[in-house]
């Protein structure tokens, strides 16, 4: 077997770039699923703005569904990378087998559960009488594709953690290109409206899922890839104890992603309530555009920090703490550089982005202002992303989870409280306030625990090694 990258031997800087850049691109392209849908939806004649608000209500629910793929996929891939670093291939195989089964069961369960509860969820999460029909149509169709979405997202992590980021990127990009083509065909050629956007997304995710599974299953006659993974999907050796370990390790990133959905839900509900019947739908439409723009920032940052977790986990498993520290510094430098560039772009070019969603003058003005407000704290936010994901890769899930929940909690509190004292749109300041405060706290905590945690790992390994020495 030929691997594209050796996580334990390759020079750290090129290795980080080789994993970070393709994963960042893949994550950015993955973000385009929702952005392209919203772009086409917002430009539907006559009903575009209302349909966009309906899609905005669905956005956090869709993200919530996707986060379950991360629960198993990221948790399992981090654990698998550690076992590969320890040269325990049999245990790595069992982790992959259990993760695949868990994703299949979880996907089917969530599909049934969300179809039964979607109407109540939409009403509670900010759908008005005017936007509900559009939100209901979109979510119903999307939910039927949940099985493929979760399986594709979850299993893709196991491609990256084995040193194949380019293949991981290719599976996502193929789906995104398909989504662009199908969106245009279904919405404007077949005149399917918001239903066409949802159908395009589901079919594209099915394609990405199939490509991911084709790579991870054992090579067959019709295999479209020249490379093959070190560990392929197999069946058997299922273990409830191992499943619990995977869920425990994936719980922190799952909560981080799922609470991203929660704060968007709280934002939409607050804007609808405080804005009233006159301004509520317009504020939700603006928030949808602003949140779409934020995905262009947070998506690639997740790609950089999440895609490189395999380096940290692998070398942590191999007890190579020097490489872990080197990787963390380079990951931080890349993320800060990216967030700085996007901060400058947000100051000067937000209007160009808003124009692709709407031609309404007032909505353009509100959304442009909102983007500039939302992005005030994105440079400090890069520290939060790097340090929380770094701690997760080391198995410090409770610490990472606490830091993440604190940021989300402050965001929700600010979103609810600020509009009570100021005008409704001031709720948009909740984002930069929570970003700056919690990034400072995360940096302090990371500096206090990072080196101590690595030292403890070295000491524990040395002790075990001496016990086995004759």
């Amino acid at each position: 077997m030929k691997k594209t990258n050796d996580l334990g031997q390759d020079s750290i800087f090129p290795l980080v770039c080789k994993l970070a850049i393709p994963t960042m691109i893949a994550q950015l392209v993955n973000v385009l699923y929702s952005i392209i849908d919203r772009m086409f939806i917002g430009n539907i004649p006559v009903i575009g703005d209302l349909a966009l608000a309906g899609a905005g209500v669905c956005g956090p629910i869709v993200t919530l569904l996707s986060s379950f793929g991360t629960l198993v996929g990221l948790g399992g891939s981090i654990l698998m990378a550690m076992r590969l670093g320890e040269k325990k291939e049999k245990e790595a195989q069992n982790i992959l087998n259990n993760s695949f089964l868990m994703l299949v069961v979880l996907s089917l369960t969530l599909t049934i559960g969300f179809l039964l509860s979607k109407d109540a969820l939409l009403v509670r999460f900010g759908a008005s009488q005017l936007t509900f029909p559009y939100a209901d149509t979109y979510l119903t169709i999307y939910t039927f594709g949940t099985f493929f979405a979760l399986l594709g997202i979850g299993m893709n992590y196991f491609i990256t953690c084995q040193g194949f980021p380019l293949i991981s990127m290719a599976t996502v990009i193929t789906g995104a290109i398909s989504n662009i083509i199908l969106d245009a065909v279904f919405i404007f050629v077949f005149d399917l409206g918001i239903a066409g956007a949802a159908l395009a997304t589901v079919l594209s995710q099915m394609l990405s899922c199939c490509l991911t599974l084709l790579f991870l299953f054992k090579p067959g006659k019709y295999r479209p890839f020249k490379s093959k993974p070190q560990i392929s999907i197999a069946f058997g050796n299922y273990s409830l104890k191992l499943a619990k370990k995977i869920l425990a390790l994936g719980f922190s990133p799952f909560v981080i992603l799922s609470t991203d959905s929660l704060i968007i839900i709280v934002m939409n509900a607050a804007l609808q309530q405080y804005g009233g019947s006159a301004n509520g739908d317009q504020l939700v439409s603006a928030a949808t555009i602003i949140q779409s723009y934020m995905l262009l920032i947070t998506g690639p940052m997740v790609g950089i920090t999440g895609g490189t977790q395999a380096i940290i986990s692998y070398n942590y498993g191999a007890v190579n703490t020097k490489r872990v520290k080197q990787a963390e510094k380079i990951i931080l430098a890349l993320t800060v550089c990216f967030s700085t560039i996007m901060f400058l772009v947000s100051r000067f070019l937000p209007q160009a982005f808003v124009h692709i969603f709407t031609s309404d003058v007032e909505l353009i003005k509100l959304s442009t202002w909102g983007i500039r407000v939302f992005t005030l704290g994105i440079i400090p936010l890069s520290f939060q992303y790097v340090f929380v994901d770094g701690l997760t890769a080391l198995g410090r899930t409770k610490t990472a989870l606490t830091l993440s929940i604190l940021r989300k909690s402050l965001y929700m509190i600010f979103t609810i409280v600020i509009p009570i004292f100021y005008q409704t749109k001031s709720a948009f300041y909740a984002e930069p306030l929570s970003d700056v405060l919690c990034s400072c706290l995360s940096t302090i905590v990371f500096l206090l625990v990072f080196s101590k945690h690595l030292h403890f790992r070295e000491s524990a390994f040395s002790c075990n090694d001496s016990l086995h020495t004759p």
Side-chain angles (χ1 to χ4, degrees), residues 24 30 34 40-41 84 87 119 121 138 211 260 266 280 284 290 348 352:
M24 180 180 73
N30 199 33
S34 60
F40 281 112
I41 290 167
L84 289 174
K87 308 301 180 185
D119 288 1
L121 290 174
Y138 187 91
L211 289 173
D260 277 343
V266 171
V284 172
I290 295 164
F348 301 108

Side-chain angles (χ1 to χ4, degrees), residues 41 48-58 126 131 135 268 281-282 284-285 288:
I41 290 167
D49 290 343
L50 283 176
L52 181 61
V57 173
C58 294
T131 61
N268 288 343
D281 287 339
Q282 185 185 56
V284 172
S285 294
T288 302

